[in-house]
Amino acid sequence: MALAEFLAELESLEAAARQSLAAAADASALEAARVEFLGAKSGRLKSVQKQLGTIPGPDKPAAGKRFNEAKLAIEAALTMAQERLERSATQAAAAPFDPTLPGPRPRLGHLHPLTQTIEELKDIMGRLGFTVATGPEIEDERHNFEALNIPASHPARDPLENFYLSVAGVATGEPLLLRSQTSTVQIRVMESTPPPVRIISLGRVYRPDTADATHYPMFHQIEGLLIDRKVTMADLKSVLRLFASSFLGGDVHIRFRPSFFPFTEPSVEVDMSWHDTHAGGAIRWIEMGGAGMVDPHVLRAVGYDPEEVTGFAFGLGVERVCARRHGVSDIREFYRNDVRFLHQF
Ligand code: FA5
C-alpha cells in the first residue's frame, strides 16, 4: 500500500473515531465505540495496523510514526468521553432541580430585644390605663435634681456620678447633663398637666457606672407615675405585681425593701426573683427598680395640692427585666451587637 493511501485511511479513521466517542450518550454506546475502533482483535485501528506491513520499506518509519499518533489521539478521546459520562452521572445522582419549590427565603431582620421589650411594656401599662409621655435626654439640673427634691449637697449630684455636658443651656446659661433617670419626665408632665395623671415614660438614661452583668453606662428605664385622689402604697404594689406577672410570667416573685429616694416617701426598692441556672436553679433576687409615694414636697413644687391628691411613682431598669424574661445572665450582651445572639429573639 502506498504511503499516501495509508495516511489518508488513518486520517479518516481518526476522525470517525473521535466523532463516535464524542457522540456516545451512555456507557454501552461508549463501549461499543471503543470495541469498534480500539478492539484488540478486530478493531478498525488493528486492521489499519496490519496494513503497515505492506508499506514500502523507506516509507515505513513515517507511516509507523503517524499510526502511533493516531492511536494516542483516539485513546485520549476515549478517556475524555469516559470522564464526560462520569460527570453527568454524578450530576444526575444529585437532587434534581425542582423549579416549583419556593426559593430560599432571605433572612429578615427584626427589632432589637430591648426595643421589643419597650413596646411590650407600653402595651401592658397601656392596658392598665397609662399613656406614654416623653422627655429630653439632655436635661437641666432643675428637672434632673431640684424639682425631685435632690438638694445641691446630695451625692447623686456629684459631677463624677453624672455625665455633665461641657456646654451650658443656650437660653438659661445653666449646666446641662445627660439625664440620669427618667424621673425627670414626672416633673415635666406634672408641671404641664393638672391631676389626675397616669403616665409611663420609657427611654435612655446615662450614668458613669462601670459595665458589669447588671450595669451599663447607658441603659433604659420605664418610669410610672399615678397621681389622683386617695392613691395608696397598696395601689403601687398591685400595679407592680401585675406588671411583673404580665411581663415576666406567673412564676415571678417580687419583693419590696424599704429604701430612700429624695422624691418619694415612703420609698422602696423592688427586687424580682431569678432562677439562677448557673447555680443549679437556686433563687436569687435582682433589683429591678425603685418606687414610692410621691413626696409632698415634689407635689407642691409642681403646683399640686398634697392635701387633695397623692400618688406613686416607680422607675425600673428595662435591661434587667428583659434579661430576666429571656434568661440572659449579662445585660452587656444586649450591646455587643452579635447577630448570633440577637437572632434568637
Ligand atoms: C432610680 O433611678 C429612681 N429614679 C427610681 C425611682 C423612680 C424611685 C420613681 C422612686 C420613684 P435607681 O438608681 O435605683 O433608681 O435605678 C432604678 C433601676 O434602674 C435599678 O433598680 C436598675 O434596675 C436600673 N439601673 C440602675 N443603674 C443601672 C445601670 N448602670 N445599668 C443598668 N440598669 C441600671
Side-chain angles (χ1 to χ4, degrees), residues 180-183 186 207 209 214-221 223-224 261 263-264 268-270 287-292 313-320 331:
S180 60
Q181 50 186 345
T182 42
S183 300
Q186 290 182 32
R207 295 181 191 175
D209 287 347
T214 52
H215 293 86
Y216 210 72
M218 189 279 296
F219 61 101
H220 295 75
Q221 285 188 335
E223 189 83 10
F261 293 101
F263 39 96
T264 47
V268 287
E269 250 159 354
V270 191
E287 185 194 312
M288 156 167 114
F314 60 84
L316 314 176
V318 173
E319 280 74 1
R320 293 197 192 171
I331 67 165

